[in-house]
Each structure stands twice: as C-alpha cells, then as structure tokens.
Amino acid sequence: MKRLILMLTVCILGALMIMAYKYGNNENIGAIITLSVLLILFLSYFYFEKSSMGTKEIALVATLSAFSAVCRVPFYIIPSVQPTTFLVALSGLVFGSYEGFLIGSTAAFISNIFLGQGPWTPWQMFAWGIIGAISGILGINNKRLSSEVFGIICFFYGILFGWITNLWVILSGLKVINFETILSTNLTSFPIDIMHAGGNFIFVILFYDKFYKILVRFKKRLRFTYIN
C-alpha cells in the first residue's frame, strides 16, 4: 500500500507538472502547485487511514500533534516565535519521516483552530510536514545529533518555513511571478523568519536534551513495526 500510494503521488504530480509546462501562466501554475500541495496532504492522511499502525502509534502521533499545536498558542503575541517547529523536527528525528510529516501537518491544522484558519493553513501544514520529514531523514541511522548541530538545523528550518509559506502569497497575490518578485516577498518576510529561526535555536538549546530522552524512551516502548 505504501509503495502504491507513493507511485500514485509521483505519477499525479508528474502529470500536474506537465500541465503547468504546457498551459503555464501565473494563474494556472499557481493553481497547479496549490493542487499538488493539497494532493500530497490528502494522500499522506489517506495512507495513514489505510496503514497498519496500531492504536499506540496512532495515539502517539495524535498526542505529539496536539502537544505541538497547543504549545504554539501561548506564543502568538510574539511573531513567529513558538516551540512547534522544534517539537515537530524532534518528533521526525526520533520517529521517522512519515510520522514527522503527519505530526507537523496535523499540528498546523489543530493550532489554527485557535489562531485562525485560512488559505495559509495548507501551506503551514505542508511546511511543518516537510520539516518533520527532513528531520526523519537526518535521524534514519538513530544517531543522536548534538544540541548545537540540531539547533543550527532548526535555525534554518525557520527560514525554510518562511519560504514555503510565502508561496501562498506569491501564487495568490502577485500578478507577475518572477525572480525579482519572489526575492522581494522573501526579503519582506525575512525579519519575521529570523525571529522564527532564532526562537527555534533557543528552544533547542533549552529543551533538546530532555525532550530527546523522553521521546526515545517512548519509541523503545512502542517498538514500531513497519509493514510495506
């Protein structure tokens, strides 16, 4: 099932990219890219529904998603500074790319129930999902990263999150999409992205060691089994 869904995703995304090339203009490309993001999110949850995960694994994903979401809410008064990115990245590092993607995307949706849903929600879901997935790749050998290294990685996650979420502004709000307008949009959000990045680094330095040990202990208890 996992391989089938992956192949289906690649085929559909390939078809969408061909359509973007053939019928490409700003409006069509924006719609196709947005549709691709929604498709990836849909197929991720579809596989989650059809997967062989046990109740303990499902409960863990739900708990970490809710915890990451709730921790975002009290920090809303400080622009972009919140522990959600750190928690999603750490979850992916310990439990793997797929779990990291699910936790990140779900945390964005749940937290926006309190902070406000909108056209930015799928992009935030996708951005945090990507961060969780990348962290899963970094932790594939179960080798623990130092807090300094992980802090630097999470710093750059803050920039990456900003670049991804800026796409909904670029695709929906700009009449002309080119290198200059993309650069201008990203430079405009750069101060906020730096606050996000700096906050990530601080959260890692303060909490990484303790939270890492807790999540590794849970992972050993659960003894995940993957069935392709």
Side-chain angles (χ1 to χ4, degrees):
M1 177 64 73
K2 184 176 182 179
R3 292 177 180 176
L4 177 62
I5 292 177
L6 179 61
M7 291 175 61
L8 180 63
T9 303
V10 171
C11 290
I12 295 177
L13 289 177
L16 290 172
M17 291 304 102
I18 293 173
M19 291 173 60
Y21 176 78
K22 186 174 181 180
Y23 304 105
N25 58 47
N26 288 348
E27 184 176 346
N28 289 340
I29 291 176
I32 289 171
I33 293 176
T34 302
L35 182 60
S36 300
V37 169
L38 294 174
L39 175 67
I40 292 171
L41 293 170
F42 170 78
L43 289 176
S44 297
Y45 286 100
F46 179 78
Y47 173 72
F48 179 67
E49 175 68 22
K50 299 296 182 180
S51 69
S52 58
M53 281 187 177
T55 55
K56 290 183 178 180
E57 289 88 343
I58 294 173
L60 177 69
V61 171
T63 300
L64 288 175
S65 300
F67 181 67
S68 300
V70 170
C71 286
R72 180 186 174 199
V73 176
F75 289 86
Y76 78 96
I77 58 175
I78 310 175
S80 288
V81 176
Q82 33 68 28
T84 305
T85 304
F86 156 65
L87 292 170
V88 169
L90 183 59
S91 299
L93 183 71
V94 174
F95 295 106
S97 292
Y98 181 62
E99 288 74 13
F101 186 92
L102 283 178
I103 291 167
S105 58
T106 306
F109 181 81
I110 293 174
S111 62
N112 280 354
I113 293 175
F114 302 97
L115 300 178
Q117 303 283 3
W120 53 84
T121 297
W123 295 98
Q124 290 178 336
M125 293 174 66
F126 184 67
W128 267 317
I130 289 294
I131 287 170
I134 294 174
S135 295
I137 296 173
L138 297 176
I140 198 167
N141 294 321
N142 295 320
K143 183 179 180 180
R144 179 178 178 177
L145 302 175
S146 68
S147 58
E148 292 79 10
V149 171
F150 193 63
I152 293 172
I153 292 171
C154 286
F155 180 91
F156 285 105
Y157 281 158
I159 308 298
L160 176 63
F161 182 90
W163 287 353
I164 294 175
T165 52
N166 282 344
L167 286 174
W168 82 270
V169 177
I170 294 169
L171 296 175
S172 63
L174 299 181
K175 294 182 178 180
V176 178
I177 300 176
N178 52 38
F179 177 79
E180 288 76 14
T181 56
I182 293 173
L183 179 62
S184 175
T185 301
N186 286 326
L187 287 177
T188 300
S189 71
F190 191 69
I192 299 297
D193 296 338
I194 286 294
M195 291 182 66
H196 185 179
N200 293 345
F201 185 85
I202 292 172
F203 284 119
V204 171
I205 298 303
L206 292 177
F207 301 112
Y208 174 69
D209 290 331
K210 293 181 179 178
F211 277 67
Y212 183 87
K213 292 177 181 177
I214 293 172
L215 294 187
V216 168
R217 190 181 306 125
F218 277 124
K219 182 179 180 181
K220 290 179 179 178
R221 286 189 174 187
L222 289 172
R223 296 178 180 177
F224 281 165
T225 301
Y226 297 92
I227 301 176
N228 293 324

